[in-house]
Amino acid sequence: MRYLMFAAALVAMARPALAQQYVPKDVLVSDFQRQKVILMRYIDIMPDDRLSFAPTPGVRTFAGQIAHIAQMTGGMLARIARHGTQPHGDSGVYLRNKSALKDYVARNYDFAIAGVQSLRPVQMVTISDLYDLKWPNFKWVLAVQEHAAWILGATALYLRLNGQQAPEYLPF
């Protein structure tokens, strides 16, 4: 019986220590806030009549790239944090209208930020099985941010092909 109680005490003590092995939430939140600002700058820079620009047939349009980032960000946090329903919009509108695109991005990023803020420490290290990968939730959050960076980097070319300069990367 003593051994069982000792083992239970070790597990109880290890759980909070394990829960501290992730990137702090305030860092994750500030990264999402920074990404949101960068996305808004990209939208502002692209001429209104070029939102549907695609460099080659069969690839996403500029607005499609931006919307994809927002959709993945909000969607993944909906699955990880389970704190509500991801914001949706009418793609027939937000893919053709800057104001609607900015609103769609803002709502999905605000949703993602709220999702990260809602995660308790133990939820940060809880394993989620998504896309046949089993990762702790904090790693999924980092993967969402990395995904956004990759797509946004590719989207910088869309601006250049339209005579625009991509905004300076934050925080530099």
Short mmCIF file of all heavy atoms in Angstrom, two decimals, residues 86-154:
data_model
loop_
_atom_site.label_atom_id
_atom_site.label_comp_id
_atom_site.label_asym_id
_atom_site.label_seq_id
_atom_site.Cartn_x
_atom_site.Cartn_y
_atom_site.Cartn_z
N GLN A 86 -15.03 27.80 -34.69
CA GLN A 86 -14.18 28.67 -35.50
C GLN A 86 -15.03 29.66 -36.28
O GLN A 86 -16.05 29.29 -36.84
CB GLN A 86 -13.36 27.83 -36.47
CG GLN A 86 -12.55 28.66 -37.43
CD GLN A 86 -11.88 27.84 -38.51
OE1 GLN A 86 -12.13 26.66 -38.65
NE2 GLN A 86 -11.01 28.47 -39.25
N PRO A 87 -14.59 30.91 -36.35
CA PRO A 87 -15.32 31.89 -37.16
C PRO A 87 -15.29 31.52 -38.64
O PRO A 87 -14.27 31.08 -39.16
CB PRO A 87 -14.55 33.19 -36.93
CG PRO A 87 -13.76 32.98 -35.69
CD PRO A 87 -13.48 31.51 -35.63
N HIS A 88 -16.40 31.68 -39.29
CA HIS A 88 -16.50 31.40 -40.71
C HIS A 88 -16.90 32.68 -41.43
O HIS A 88 -17.22 33.68 -40.81
CB HIS A 88 -17.51 30.29 -40.99
CG HIS A 88 -17.10 28.97 -40.43
ND1 HIS A 88 -16.11 28.20 -40.99
CD2 HIS A 88 -17.53 28.29 -39.35
CE1 HIS A 88 -15.94 27.10 -40.28
NE2 HIS A 88 -16.79 27.13 -39.27
N GLY A 89 -16.87 32.63 -42.72
CA GLY A 89 -17.28 33.77 -43.53
C GLY A 89 -17.66 33.28 -44.91
O GLY A 89 -17.51 32.10 -45.23
N ASP A 90 -18.10 34.18 -45.72
CA ASP A 90 -18.49 33.87 -47.08
C ASP A 90 -17.27 34.06 -47.98
O ASP A 90 -16.87 35.19 -48.25
CB ASP A 90 -19.64 34.78 -47.51
CG ASP A 90 -20.15 34.50 -48.91
OD1 ASP A 90 -19.50 33.74 -49.67
OD2 ASP A 90 -21.22 35.05 -49.26
N SER A 91 -16.69 32.96 -48.45
CA SER A 91 -15.48 33.05 -49.26
C SER A 91 -15.73 33.80 -50.57
O SER A 91 -14.82 34.40 -51.13
CB SER A 91 -14.90 31.67 -49.56
OG SER A 91 -15.82 30.89 -50.29
N GLY A 92 -16.96 33.81 -51.04
CA GLY A 92 -17.30 34.58 -52.22
C GLY A 92 -17.15 36.07 -51.98
O GLY A 92 -16.98 36.84 -52.93
N VAL A 93 -17.17 36.47 -50.72
CA VAL A 93 -17.01 37.88 -50.36
C VAL A 93 -15.57 38.16 -49.92
O VAL A 93 -14.90 39.03 -50.47
CB VAL A 93 -18.01 38.30 -49.26
CG1 VAL A 93 -17.76 39.73 -48.82
CG2 VAL A 93 -19.45 38.12 -49.74
N TYR A 94 -15.07 37.40 -48.92
CA TYR A 94 -13.76 37.76 -48.37
C TYR A 94 -12.60 37.48 -49.32
O TYR A 94 -11.52 38.04 -49.14
CB TYR A 94 -13.52 37.17 -46.98
CG TYR A 94 -13.39 35.66 -46.87
CD1 TYR A 94 -12.27 34.99 -47.34
CD2 TYR A 94 -14.37 34.92 -46.23
CE1 TYR A 94 -12.14 33.63 -47.22
CE2 TYR A 94 -14.25 33.55 -46.09
CZ TYR A 94 -13.13 32.91 -46.59
OH TYR A 94 -13.01 31.55 -46.45
N LEU A 95 -12.79 36.68 -50.33
CA LEU A 95 -11.72 36.48 -51.31
C LEU A 95 -11.67 37.58 -52.36
O LEU A 95 -10.74 37.63 -53.17
CB LEU A 95 -11.87 35.12 -52.00
CG LEU A 95 -11.63 33.90 -51.10
CD1 LEU A 95 -11.87 32.61 -51.88
CD2 LEU A 95 -10.24 33.91 -50.49
N ARG A 96 -12.65 38.49 -52.32
CA ARG A 96 -12.71 39.56 -53.33
C ARG A 96 -12.79 40.96 -52.72
O ARG A 96 -12.82 41.95 -53.45
CB ARG A 96 -13.93 39.34 -54.22
CG ARG A 96 -13.76 38.15 -55.14
CD ARG A 96 -15.05 37.79 -55.86
NE ARG A 96 -14.85 36.65 -56.74
CZ ARG A 96 -14.75 35.39 -56.34
NH1 ARG A 96 -14.79 35.10 -55.07
NH2 ARG A 96 -14.59 34.41 -57.21
N ASN A 97 -12.84 41.04 -51.39
CA ASN A 97 -13.04 42.32 -50.74
C ASN A 97 -12.05 42.47 -49.59
O ASN A 97 -12.05 41.66 -48.67
CB ASN A 97 -14.49 42.39 -50.23
CG ASN A 97 -14.80 43.65 -49.51
OD1 ASN A 97 -14.38 43.84 -48.37
ND2 ASN A 97 -15.56 44.53 -50.15
N LYS A 98 -11.23 43.51 -49.65
CA LYS A 98 -10.19 43.71 -48.64
C LYS A 98 -10.75 43.81 -47.23
O LYS A 98 -10.23 43.21 -46.30
CB LYS A 98 -9.39 44.99 -48.93
CG LYS A 98 -8.14 44.78 -49.66
CD LYS A 98 -7.33 46.07 -49.64
CE LYS A 98 -6.15 45.93 -50.54
NZ LYS A 98 -5.22 47.04 -50.43
N SER A 99 -11.79 44.59 -47.08
CA SER A 99 -12.37 44.78 -45.76
C SER A 99 -12.88 43.46 -45.19
O SER A 99 -12.65 43.14 -44.02
CB SER A 99 -13.51 45.81 -45.84
OG SER A 99 -14.11 45.97 -44.59
N ALA A 100 -13.55 42.68 -46.01
CA ALA A 100 -14.07 41.38 -45.57
C ALA A 100 -12.93 40.40 -45.28
O ALA A 100 -13.00 39.62 -44.32
CB ALA A 100 -15.01 40.79 -46.62
N LEU A 101 -11.86 40.46 -46.07
CA LEU A 101 -10.70 39.60 -45.83
C LEU A 101 -10.03 39.96 -44.50
O LEU A 101 -9.69 39.08 -43.72
CB LEU A 101 -9.70 39.70 -46.98
CG LEU A 101 -8.46 38.83 -46.91
CD1 LEU A 101 -8.82 37.34 -46.82
CD2 LEU A 101 -7.56 39.08 -48.12
N LYS A 102 -9.87 41.25 -44.25
CA LYS A 102 -9.28 41.69 -42.99
C LYS A 102 -10.14 41.26 -41.80
O LYS A 102 -9.62 40.81 -40.78
CB LYS A 102 -9.07 43.20 -42.99
CG LYS A 102 -7.95 43.65 -43.92
CD LYS A 102 -7.81 45.14 -43.97
CE LYS A 102 -6.97 45.60 -42.80
NZ LYS A 102 -6.56 47.01 -42.93
N ASP A 103 -11.45 41.35 -41.97
CA ASP A 103 -12.36 40.92 -40.91
C ASP A 103 -12.23 39.43 -40.65
O ASP A 103 -12.18 38.98 -39.50
CB ASP A 103 -13.81 41.28 -41.28
CG ASP A 103 -14.80 40.80 -40.24
OD1 ASP A 103 -14.77 41.33 -39.10
OD2 ASP A 103 -15.60 39.90 -40.56
N TYR A 104 -12.16 38.64 -41.73
CA TYR A 104 -12.02 37.18 -41.60
C TYR A 104 -10.72 36.83 -40.88
O TYR A 104 -10.70 35.98 -39.98
CB TYR A 104 -12.08 36.54 -42.99
CG TYR A 104 -11.98 35.04 -42.99
CD1 TYR A 104 -13.05 34.27 -42.55
CD2 TYR A 104 -10.84 34.39 -43.45
CE1 TYR A 104 -12.98 32.88 -42.55
CE2 TYR A 104 -10.77 33.01 -43.45
CZ TYR A 104 -11.83 32.26 -43.00
OH TYR A 104 -11.75 30.89 -43.00
N VAL A 105 -9.63 37.48 -41.27
CA VAL A 105 -8.34 37.24 -40.62
C VAL A 105 -8.41 37.63 -39.15
O VAL A 105 -8.00 36.86 -38.27
CB VAL A 105 -7.21 38.03 -41.35
CG1 VAL A 105 -5.93 38.03 -40.51
CG2 VAL A 105 -6.96 37.44 -42.73
N ALA A 106 -8.93 38.81 -38.86
CA ALA A 106 -9.00 39.29 -37.48
C ALA A 106 -9.83 38.35 -36.60
O ALA A 106 -9.41 38.01 -35.49
CB ALA A 106 -9.59 40.70 -37.44
N ARG A 107 -10.98 37.92 -37.10
CA ARG A 107 -11.83 37.04 -36.30
C ARG A 107 -11.16 35.69 -36.03
O ARG A 107 -11.23 35.16 -34.92
CB ARG A 107 -13.19 36.84 -36.97
CG ARG A 107 -14.06 38.09 -36.88
CD ARG A 107 -15.47 37.93 -37.42
NE ARG A 107 -15.50 37.57 -38.82
CZ ARG A 107 -15.95 36.41 -39.31
NH1 ARG A 107 -16.43 35.50 -38.51
NH2 ARG A 107 -15.93 36.16 -40.61
N ASN A 108 -10.47 35.13 -37.03
CA ASN A 108 -9.80 33.84 -36.82
C ASN A 108 -8.59 33.98 -35.91
O ASN A 108 -8.33 33.11 -35.07
CB ASN A 108 -9.43 33.21 -38.16
CG ASN A 108 -10.56 32.37 -38.70
OD1 ASN A 108 -10.75 31.24 -38.30
ND2 ASN A 108 -11.35 32.95 -39.59
N TYR A 109 -7.85 35.06 -36.05
CA TYR A 109 -6.70 35.26 -35.16
C TYR A 109 -7.15 35.58 -33.74
O TYR A 109 -6.55 35.09 -32.78
CB TYR A 109 -5.74 36.31 -35.73
CG TYR A 109 -4.65 35.64 -36.53
CD1 TYR A 109 -4.89 35.18 -37.82
CD2 TYR A 109 -3.40 35.41 -35.99
CE1 TYR A 109 -3.91 34.53 -38.54
CE2 TYR A 109 -2.42 34.76 -36.71
CZ TYR A 109 -2.67 34.32 -37.98
OH TYR A 109 -1.71 33.65 -38.68
N ASP A 110 -8.18 36.38 -33.57
CA ASP A 110 -8.69 36.65 -32.23
C ASP A 110 -9.19 35.36 -31.58
O ASP A 110 -8.99 35.13 -30.38
CB ASP A 110 -9.79 37.70 -32.27
CG ASP A 110 -9.28 39.08 -32.65
OD1 ASP A 110 -8.04 39.31 -32.59
OD2 ASP A 110 -10.11 39.94 -33.01
N PHE A 111 -9.82 34.51 -32.37
CA PHE A 111 -10.29 33.21 -31.90
C PHE A 111 -9.10 32.34 -31.47
O PHE A 111 -9.13 31.70 -30.41
CB PHE A 111 -11.09 32.52 -33.00
CG PHE A 111 -11.59 31.15 -32.65
CD1 PHE A 111 -12.73 30.98 -31.89
CD2 PHE A 111 -10.92 30.03 -33.10
CE1 PHE A 111 -13.20 29.72 -31.57
CE2 PHE A 111 -11.37 28.76 -32.79
CZ PHE A 111 -12.51 28.60 -32.02
N ALA A 112 -8.05 32.32 -32.28
CA ALA A 112 -6.86 31.53 -31.95
C ALA A 112 -6.20 32.05 -30.68
O ALA A 112 -5.79 31.26 -29.82
CB ALA A 112 -5.87 31.57 -33.11
N ILE A 113 -6.10 33.36 -30.56
CA ILE A 113 -5.50 33.95 -29.36
C ILE A 113 -6.31 33.57 -28.12
O ILE A 113 -5.75 33.17 -27.10
CB ILE A 113 -5.38 35.48 -29.52
CG1 ILE A 113 -4.29 35.80 -30.56
CG2 ILE A 113 -5.10 36.17 -28.19
CD1 ILE A 113 -4.31 37.23 -31.07
N ALA A 114 -7.63 33.67 -28.21
CA ALA A 114 -8.48 33.28 -27.08
C ALA A 114 -8.31 31.80 -26.78
O ALA A 114 -8.33 31.39 -25.61
CB ALA A 114 -9.94 33.61 -27.39
N GLY A 115 -8.13 30.99 -27.83
CA GLY A 115 -7.92 29.55 -27.62
C GLY A 115 -6.65 29.26 -26.87
O GLY A 115 -6.64 28.46 -25.93
N VAL A 116 -5.57 29.91 -27.24
CA VAL A 116 -4.30 29.72 -26.51
C VAL A 116 -4.45 30.18 -25.07
O VAL A 116 -4.02 29.50 -24.14
CB VAL A 116 -3.14 30.46 -27.22
CG1 VAL A 116 -1.89 30.46 -26.35
CG2 VAL A 116 -2.84 29.82 -28.56
N GLN A 117 -5.10 31.33 -24.89
CA GLN A 117 -5.27 31.86 -23.53
C GLN A 117 -6.13 30.94 -22.67
O GLN A 117 -5.96 30.90 -21.46
CB GLN A 117 -5.86 33.26 -23.58
CG GLN A 117 -4.89 34.28 -24.12
CD GLN A 117 -5.51 35.63 -24.40
OE1 GLN A 117 -6.68 35.73 -24.77
NE2 GLN A 117 -4.71 36.68 -24.26
N SER A 118 -7.03 30.18 -23.29
CA SER A 118 -7.92 29.30 -22.53
C SER A 118 -7.26 27.99 -22.11
O SER A 118 -7.78 27.29 -21.24
CB SER A 118 -9.18 28.99 -23.35
OG SER A 118 -8.91 28.04 -24.36
N LEU A 119 -6.15 27.65 -22.73
CA LEU A 119 -5.51 26.36 -22.43
C LEU A 119 -4.88 26.38 -21.04
O LEU A 119 -4.07 27.25 -20.72
CB LEU A 119 -4.45 26.04 -23.48
CG LEU A 119 -4.96 25.67 -24.87
CD1 LEU A 119 -3.81 25.61 -25.86
CD2 LEU A 119 -5.69 24.34 -24.84
N ARG A 120 -5.25 25.41 -20.24
CA ARG A 120 -4.62 25.23 -18.93
C ARG A 120 -3.28 24.53 -19.13
O ARG A 120 -3.07 23.88 -20.16
CB ARG A 120 -5.54 24.41 -18.02
CG ARG A 120 -6.85 25.12 -17.70
CD ARG A 120 -7.72 24.35 -16.70
NE ARG A 120 -7.72 22.91 -16.88
CZ ARG A 120 -8.57 22.24 -17.66
NH1 ARG A 120 -9.48 22.86 -18.36
NH2 ARG A 120 -8.50 20.92 -17.75
N PRO A 121 -2.37 24.65 -18.19
CA PRO A 121 -1.05 24.02 -18.36
C PRO A 121 -1.12 22.54 -18.74
O PRO A 121 -0.40 22.10 -19.62
CB PRO A 121 -0.38 24.23 -17.01
CG PRO A 121 -0.98 25.50 -16.51
CD PRO A 121 -2.42 25.46 -16.97
N VAL A 122 -2.00 21.81 -18.11
CA VAL A 122 -2.08 20.38 -18.42
C VAL A 122 -2.58 20.17 -19.86
O VAL A 122 -2.19 19.20 -20.52
CB VAL A 122 -2.95 19.63 -17.39
CG1 VAL A 122 -4.41 19.99 -17.52
CG2 VAL A 122 -2.73 18.13 -17.48
N GLN A 123 -3.41 21.08 -20.37
CA GLN A 123 -3.88 20.96 -21.75
C GLN A 123 -2.76 21.26 -22.75
O GLN A 123 -2.79 20.74 -23.86
CB GLN A 123 -5.04 21.92 -22.00
CG GLN A 123 -6.32 21.53 -21.31
CD GLN A 123 -7.38 22.60 -21.49
OE1 GLN A 123 -7.21 23.72 -21.04
NE2 GLN A 123 -8.44 22.24 -22.18
N MET A 124 -1.81 22.07 -22.36
CA MET A 124 -0.69 22.38 -23.25
C MET A 124 0.14 21.14 -23.56
O MET A 124 0.70 21.03 -24.64
CB MET A 124 0.20 23.47 -22.66
CG MET A 124 -0.47 24.83 -22.59
SD MET A 124 -0.84 25.50 -24.21
CE MET A 124 0.61 26.46 -24.49
N VAL A 125 0.20 20.22 -22.62
CA VAL A 125 0.99 19.01 -22.83
C VAL A 125 0.14 17.79 -23.17
O VAL A 125 0.66 16.70 -23.37
CB VAL A 125 1.91 18.72 -21.62
CG1 VAL A 125 2.93 19.83 -21.45
CG2 VAL A 125 1.11 18.52 -20.35
N THR A 126 -1.17 17.98 -23.25
CA THR A 126 -2.06 16.91 -23.66
C THR A 126 -1.78 16.56 -25.13
O THR A 126 -1.58 17.45 -25.95
CB THR A 126 -3.54 17.33 -23.49
OG1 THR A 126 -3.77 17.58 -22.11
CG2 THR A 126 -4.49 16.25 -23.99
N ILE A 127 -1.74 15.28 -25.43
CA ILE A 127 -1.46 14.83 -26.78
C ILE A 127 -2.73 14.88 -27.62
O ILE A 127 -3.78 14.39 -27.20
CB ILE A 127 -0.92 13.38 -26.77
CG1 ILE A 127 0.33 13.27 -25.89
CG2 ILE A 127 -0.67 12.88 -28.19
CD1 ILE A 127 1.51 14.08 -26.36
N SER A 128 -2.62 15.50 -28.79
CA SER A 128 -3.72 15.50 -29.76
C SER A 128 -3.26 14.72 -30.98
O SER A 128 -2.13 14.88 -31.45
CB SER A 128 -4.08 16.92 -30.17
OG SER A 128 -4.77 17.57 -29.12
N ASP A 129 -4.15 13.89 -31.49
CA ASP A 129 -3.87 13.06 -32.66
C ASP A 129 -4.57 13.72 -33.86
O ASP A 129 -5.78 13.59 -34.02
CB ASP A 129 -4.40 11.65 -32.42
CG ASP A 129 -4.05 10.68 -33.53
OD1 ASP A 129 -3.44 11.10 -34.54
OD2 ASP A 129 -4.37 9.49 -33.39
N LEU A 130 -3.80 14.44 -34.65
CA LEU A 130 -4.32 15.14 -35.83
C LEU A 130 -3.45 14.79 -37.02
O LEU A 130 -2.22 14.75 -36.90
CB LEU A 130 -4.31 16.65 -35.61
CG LEU A 130 -5.02 17.17 -34.35
CD1 LEU A 130 -4.71 18.64 -34.13
CD2 LEU A 130 -6.52 16.96 -34.47
N TYR A 131 -4.06 14.56 -38.15
CA TYR A 131 -3.31 14.27 -39.38
C TYR A 131 -2.33 13.11 -39.19
O TYR A 131 -1.22 13.13 -39.68
CB TYR A 131 -2.58 15.51 -39.88
CG TYR A 131 -3.46 16.72 -40.04
CD1 TYR A 131 -3.38 17.78 -39.14
CD2 TYR A 131 -4.38 16.78 -41.07
CE1 TYR A 131 -4.21 18.89 -39.28
CE2 TYR A 131 -5.21 17.88 -41.22
CZ TYR A 131 -5.12 18.93 -40.32
OH TYR A 131 -5.94 20.02 -40.46
N ASP A 132 -2.74 12.13 -38.40
CA ASP A 132 -1.92 10.95 -38.11
C ASP A 132 -0.64 11.29 -37.37
O ASP A 132 0.36 10.56 -37.45
CB ASP A 132 -1.61 10.16 -39.38
CG ASP A 132 -2.86 9.56 -40.02
OD1 ASP A 132 -3.75 9.12 -39.25
OD2 ASP A 132 -2.94 9.54 -41.25
N LEU A 133 -0.62 12.40 -36.67
CA LEU A 133 0.52 12.80 -35.84
C LEU A 133 0.03 12.98 -34.41
O LEU A 133 -1.02 13.58 -34.18
CB LEU A 133 1.14 14.11 -36.34
CG LEU A 133 1.75 14.09 -37.72
CD1 LEU A 133 2.10 15.51 -38.16
CD2 LEU A 133 3.00 13.23 -37.74
N LYS A 134 0.79 12.47 -33.47
CA LYS A 134 0.43 12.60 -32.06
C LYS A 134 1.45 13.53 -31.41
O LYS A 134 2.59 13.14 -31.16
CB LYS A 134 0.43 11.24 -31.38
CG LYS A 134 -0.64 10.34 -31.92
CD LYS A 134 -0.62 8.98 -31.29
CE LYS A 134 -1.71 8.13 -31.92
NZ LYS A 134 -1.78 6.81 -31.38
N TRP A 135 1.02 14.77 -31.19
CA TRP A 135 1.89 15.78 -30.61
C TRP A 135 1.20 16.42 -29.41
O TRP A 135 -0.02 16.51 -29.38
CB TRP A 135 2.18 16.88 -31.62
CG TRP A 135 3.06 16.54 -32.76
CD1 TRP A 135 3.86 15.45 -32.91
CD2 TRP A 135 3.25 17.33 -33.93
NE1 TRP A 135 4.52 15.51 -34.11
CE2 TRP A 135 4.16 16.66 -34.75
CE3 TRP A 135 2.73 18.54 -34.37
CZ2 TRP A 135 4.58 17.17 -35.98
CZ3 TRP A 135 3.14 19.05 -35.59
CH2 TRP A 135 4.07 18.37 -36.38
N PRO A 136 2.01 16.95 -28.48
CA PRO A 136 1.40 17.75 -27.42
C PRO A 136 0.81 19.04 -28.04
O PRO A 136 1.30 19.53 -29.05
CB PRO A 136 2.55 18.06 -26.47
CG PRO A 136 3.80 17.69 -27.17
CD PRO A 136 3.45 16.81 -28.33
N ASN A 137 -0.22 19.55 -27.42
CA ASN A 137 -0.91 20.71 -27.98
C ASN A 137 0.00 21.92 -28.20
O ASN A 137 -0.17 22.64 -29.17
CB ASN A 137 -2.11 21.09 -27.11
CG ASN A 137 -3.25 20.12 -27.29
OD1 ASN A 137 -3.39 19.48 -28.33
ND2 ASN A 137 -4.07 19.99 -26.27
N PHE A 138 0.97 22.13 -27.31
CA PHE A 138 1.84 23.29 -27.51
C PHE A 138 2.62 23.15 -28.82
O PHE A 138 2.88 24.13 -29.50
CB PHE A 138 2.80 23.51 -26.33
CG PHE A 138 3.97 22.57 -26.27
CD1 PHE A 138 5.14 22.85 -26.94
CD2 PHE A 138 3.89 21.40 -25.53
CE1 PHE A 138 6.22 21.97 -26.89
CE2 PHE A 138 4.96 20.52 -25.46
CZ PHE A 138 6.12 20.81 -26.15
N LYS A 139 2.96 21.90 -29.20
CA LYS A 139 3.66 21.70 -30.47
C LYS A 139 2.73 21.97 -31.65
O LYS A 139 3.16 22.50 -32.67
CB LYS A 139 4.25 20.30 -30.54
CG LYS A 139 5.09 20.11 -31.80
CD LYS A 139 5.88 18.83 -31.79
CE LYS A 139 6.68 18.75 -33.08
NZ LYS A 139 7.55 17.60 -33.14
N TRP A 140 1.45 21.63 -31.51
CA TRP A 140 0.50 21.95 -32.56
C TRP A 140 0.38 23.46 -32.74
O TRP A 140 0.29 23.95 -33.86
CB TRP A 140 -0.87 21.33 -32.28
CG TRP A 140 -0.91 19.87 -32.60
CD1 TRP A 140 -1.02 18.83 -31.72
CD2 TRP A 140 -0.82 19.27 -33.89
NE1 TRP A 140 -0.99 17.63 -32.39
CE2 TRP A 140 -0.88 17.88 -33.72
CE3 TRP A 140 -0.68 19.78 -35.19
CZ2 TRP A 140 -0.82 16.98 -34.79
CZ3 TRP A 140 -0.62 18.90 -36.26
CH2 TRP A 140 -0.69 17.52 -36.05
N VAL A 141 0.37 24.20 -31.63
CA VAL A 141 0.30 25.66 -31.72
C VAL A 141 1.52 26.19 -32.46
O VAL A 141 1.42 27.05 -33.34
CB VAL A 141 0.16 26.30 -30.32
CG1 VAL A 141 0.26 27.82 -30.41
CG2 VAL A 141 -1.15 25.88 -29.67
N LEU A 142 2.70 25.68 -32.11
CA LEU A 142 3.92 26.11 -32.80
C LEU A 142 3.88 25.73 -34.29
O LEU A 142 4.33 26.51 -35.14
CB LEU A 142 5.15 25.48 -32.14
CG LEU A 142 5.46 25.98 -30.72
CD1 LEU A 142 6.56 25.14 -30.10
CD2 LEU A 142 5.83 27.44 -30.73
N ALA A 143 3.31 24.57 -34.61
CA ALA A 143 3.21 24.15 -36.00
C ALA A 143 2.27 25.07 -36.79
O ALA A 143 2.53 25.37 -37.96
CB ALA A 143 2.72 22.70 -36.08
N VAL A 144 1.20 25.51 -36.15
CA VAL A 144 0.28 26.45 -36.79
C VAL A 144 1.01 27.75 -37.12
O VAL A 144 0.88 28.31 -38.21
CB VAL A 144 -0.95 26.71 -35.89
CG1 VAL A 144 -1.76 27.91 -36.38
CG2 VAL A 144 -1.83 25.48 -35.82
N GLN A 145 1.80 28.23 -36.18
CA GLN A 145 2.55 29.46 -36.41
C GLN A 145 3.60 29.27 -37.49
O GLN A 145 3.81 30.15 -38.33
CB GLN A 145 3.18 29.94 -35.10
CG GLN A 145 2.12 30.43 -34.13
CD GLN A 145 2.69 30.89 -32.80
OE1 GLN A 145 3.80 30.53 -32.42
NE2 GLN A 145 1.92 31.69 -32.09
N GLU A 146 4.25 28.13 -37.51
CA GLU A 146 5.24 27.85 -38.56
C GLU A 146 4.56 27.77 -39.93
O GLU A 146 5.06 28.30 -40.92
CB GLU A 146 5.97 26.55 -38.25
CG GLU A 146 7.00 26.20 -39.29
CD GLU A 146 7.71 24.88 -39.01
OE1 GLU A 146 7.46 24.25 -37.96
OE2 GLU A 146 8.51 24.46 -39.87
N HIS A 147 3.41 27.11 -39.98
CA HIS A 147 2.65 27.00 -41.23
C HIS A 147 2.34 28.39 -41.77
O HIS A 147 2.52 28.66 -42.96
CB HIS A 147 1.37 26.21 -40.99
CG HIS A 147 0.42 26.23 -42.14
ND1 HIS A 147 -0.61 27.14 -42.22
CD2 HIS A 147 0.34 25.47 -43.25
CE1 HIS A 147 -1.28 26.93 -43.34
NE2 HIS A 147 -0.73 25.92 -43.99
N ALA A 148 1.89 29.28 -40.90
CA ALA A 148 1.57 30.64 -41.33
C ALA A 148 2.80 31.33 -41.91
O ALA A 148 2.71 32.02 -42.93
CB ALA A 148 1.01 31.44 -40.15
N ALA A 149 3.95 31.14 -41.27
CA ALA A 149 5.18 31.77 -41.75
C ALA A 149 5.56 31.26 -43.14
O ALA A 149 5.96 32.03 -44.01
CB ALA A 149 6.31 31.54 -40.76
N TRP A 150 5.42 29.96 -43.37
CA TRP A 150 5.75 29.39 -44.68
C TRP A 150 4.83 29.94 -45.76
O TRP A 150 5.29 30.35 -46.83
CB TRP A 150 5.63 27.86 -44.64
CG TRP A 150 6.82 27.18 -44.10
CD1 TRP A 150 7.01 26.76 -42.81
CD2 TRP A 150 8.01 26.83 -44.81
NE1 TRP A 150 8.24 26.17 -42.69
CE2 TRP A 150 8.88 26.20 -43.90
CE3 TRP A 150 8.42 26.98 -46.12
CZ2 TRP A 150 10.13 25.72 -44.26
CZ3 TRP A 150 9.67 26.50 -46.49
CH2 TRP A 150 10.51 25.88 -45.56
N ILE A 151 3.54 29.94 -45.51
CA ILE A 151 2.59 30.42 -46.51
C ILE A 151 2.79 31.91 -46.76
O ILE A 151 2.77 32.37 -47.90
CB ILE A 151 1.13 30.12 -46.07
CG1 ILE A 151 0.91 28.62 -45.87
CG2 ILE A 151 0.14 30.69 -47.09
CD1 ILE A 151 1.11 27.76 -47.08
N LEU A 152 3.00 32.66 -45.70
CA LEU A 152 3.20 34.10 -45.85
C LEU A 152 4.48 34.39 -46.64
O LEU A 152 4.51 35.29 -47.48
CB LEU A 152 3.24 34.79 -44.50
CG LEU A 152 3.07 36.29 -44.51
CD1 LEU A 152 1.74 36.69 -45.13
CD2 LEU A 152 3.19 36.85 -43.12
N GLY A 153 5.52 33.61 -46.39
CA GLY A 153 6.76 33.78 -47.16
C GLY A 153 6.54 33.57 -48.64
O GLY A 153 7.05 34.33 -49.48
N ALA A 154 5.75 32.57 -48.99
CA ALA A 154 5.44 32.32 -50.40
C ALA A 154 4.58 33.46 -50.96
O ALA A 154 4.72 33.83 -52.13
CB ALA A 154 4.71 30.99 -50.55
#
